[in-house]
Amino acid sequence: MQKNNYQTFEEEYEKLNEKQKEAVDTIYGPVLVVAGPGTGKTQILALRIANLLLSDAQIAPQNILCLTFTEEGKKNMRERLFKLVGAETAQSIAVHTYHSFCNEVIQQNISLFNKDILEPVSDLEKIQFVKQICMNIGKDSVLYNAKNPNANAKYLLGMFSKMKQENWTAEYLLQKTNEQIAFMETDEQFKSTRGPSKGEITKAFQSEIEAYKKSIGAIKLFDDYQNMMFENHRYDFDDMINWVIEMFETNPDVLMGYFERYQYLLVDEFQDTNGAQMKIVSLLSSYDDTP
């Protein structure tokens, strides 16, 4: 880090309050910064990265991984680091969105994925795939609509996207949804306690059960959707994250290489992390019971 950057760091550091300084000064162990919008959480993260490099721990910039949610957030973090540690050092720090990080992992281990013939799917193609599935829904499905077969296309797309984002398999989600339905159909708290309908499930909770049954109809179509994507040599960004999760879980030696490379992991906007993204963070920090 160049001398003028030390001065920039000191100037920005002195603007912090005591709790903010505590977060920046903590080198080892987990740190969670909780504050409202516009209170400088991203700046704290950038200053903590700078302080890691300035510390006596002799931390190399290439051993730091910073994950952000958006390309704009990634650009913002890069600009802050350029000012705090200088361009040369900042370029050695891995600053990624979850998708760009997973894409890099895939490219670095392409032989383990065997998906080099796939291309990103467009929004139009996703709609076409779902509509094709809708046209083949059987009459026994709760999603069947003779007058308008595509009536549930948007609903299906939303369900499939949510399943990928949370890293839920169809098998897992079917089990949990059926368990919830069984619980609601038998537990007394969901039943009416008076009047002609005493002992029966109330209308409000019956509607909720029907919604769960609709979910089951959609979940059963998830694998069909994924197969259609692969048959057409397509993938979406959420697929990339789940591929990397699977690779890390089934190739411990590869994961160990990322443990060694990224010894410090910082996550911006952590409260917005979905299930699949959280799984990536958990795997990258699973080398120790108390990382």
Side-chain angles (χ1 to χ4, degrees):
M1 193 186 299
Q2 296 177 348
K3 189 173 182 179
N4 63 319
N5 296 116
Y6 281 100
Q7 184 177 349
T8 301
F9 170 79
E10 291 295 334
E11 289 173 353
E12 295 299 321
Y13 180 83
E14 289 306 317
K15 296 177 184 178
L16 306 180
N17 61 38
E18 291 307 309
K19 284 293 183 182
Q20 291 172 327
K21 288 180 179 178
E22 182 182 355
V24 171
D25 290 338
T26 304
I27 301 298
Y28 301 106
V31 176
L32 179 64
V33 177
V34 183
T39 52
K41 296 189 296 296
T42 302
Q43 178 70 346
I44 296 300
L45 192 150
L47 286 167
R48 187 164 187 254
I49 291 174
N51 196 43
L52 289 172
L53 298 173
L54 287 168
S55 71
D56 294 332
Q58 296 183 326
I59 299 163
Q62 57 266 30
N63 294 140
I64 298 172
L65 171 62
C66 178
L67 293 172
T68 71
F69 259 79
T70 63
E71 287 295 330
E72 184 63 29
K74 175 180 170 182
K75 178 184 176 184
N76 185 9
M77 181 57 64
R78 277 264 183 240
E79 290 174 349
R80 291 172 189 259
L81 291 173
F82 269 50
K83 294 176 182 177
L84 289 170
V85 301
E88 184 176 349
T89 302
Q91 299 221 6
S92 298
I93 300 169
V95 181
H96 284 287
T97 64
Y98 288 93
H99 292 118
S100 72
F101 171 72
C102 288
N103 184 56
E104 182 173 282
V105 172
I106 290 169
Q107 296 306 316
Q108 291 169 344
N109 302 274
I110 195 69
S111 62
L112 297 177
F113 290 92
N114 194 28
K115 294 179 171 68
D116 51 320
I117 63 171
L118 300 182
E119 297 181 3
V121 67
S122 68
D123 290 339
L124 179 59
E125 286 174 319
K126 286 197 287 188
I127 293 171
Q128 290 173 337
F129 294 157
V130 168
K131 285 185 175 181
Q132 190 172 336
I133 289 173
C134 287
M135 295 299 294
N136 295 318
I137 292 176
K139 293 182 179 181
D140 58 335
S141 172
V142 68
L143 297 175
Y144 178 75
N145 188 319
K147 292 183 179 179
N148 182 9
N150 295 322
N152 290 300
K154 185 176 180 181
Y155 174 77
L156 289 175
L157 271 178
M159 174 64 77
F160 298 158
S161 178
K162 186 66 174 177
M163 289 175 68
K164 292 184 183 186
Q165 289 171 6
E166 298 299 335
N167 192 32
W168 292 332
T169 64
E171 181 182 12
Y172 167 82
L173 204 52
L174 281 173
Q175 177 188 338
K176 293 300 180 182
T177 308
N178 279 314
E179 287 175 0
Q180 180 64 15
I181 291 173
F183 170 64
M184 294 183 71
E185 287 179 337
T186 56
D187 196 281
E188 293 300 318
Q189 66 176 302
F190 301 108
K191 297 178 181 179
S192 176
T193 57
R194 57 190 175 188
S197 61
K198 184 178 180 179
E200 298 177 4
I201 298 172
T202 65
K203 288 184 178 180
F205 288 120
Q206 188 60 49
S207 296
E208 193 171 329
I209 290 173
E210 293 305 315
Y212 280 124
K213 289 181 178 178
K214 183 178 180 181
S215 296
I216 286 176
I219 295 164
K220 288 180 177 178
L221 298 171
F222 177 72
D223 289 338
D224 291 341
Y225 175 72
Q226 283 297 84
N227 289 336
M228 191 171 292
M229 290 268 285
F230 293 137
E231 285 170 5
N232 287 274
H233 308 294
R234 294 293 183 268
Y235 72 91
D236 63 24
F237 288 127
D238 293 320
D239 286 320
M240 290 197 307
I241 294 180
N242 291 312
W243 291 344
V244 171
I245 289 172
E246 183 181 3
M247 187 198 69
F248 280 163
E249 290 180 330
T250 55
N251 292 271
D253 290 343
V254 175
L255 180 58
M256 183 61 68
Y258 288 93
F259 288 161
E260 295 175 355
R261 183 182 308 180
Y262 299 125
Q263 297 167 15
Y264 293 84
L265 173 62
L266 299 100
V267 182
D268 200 13
E269 303 294 348
F270 182 77
Q271 75 280 357
D272 293 326
T273 305
N274 63 36
Q277 293 164 340
M278 186 62 226
K279 188 66 175 179
I280 289 289
V281 173
S282 296
L283 286 166
L284 288 172
S285 57
S286 62
Y287 61 92
D288 196 322
D289 291 337
T290 56

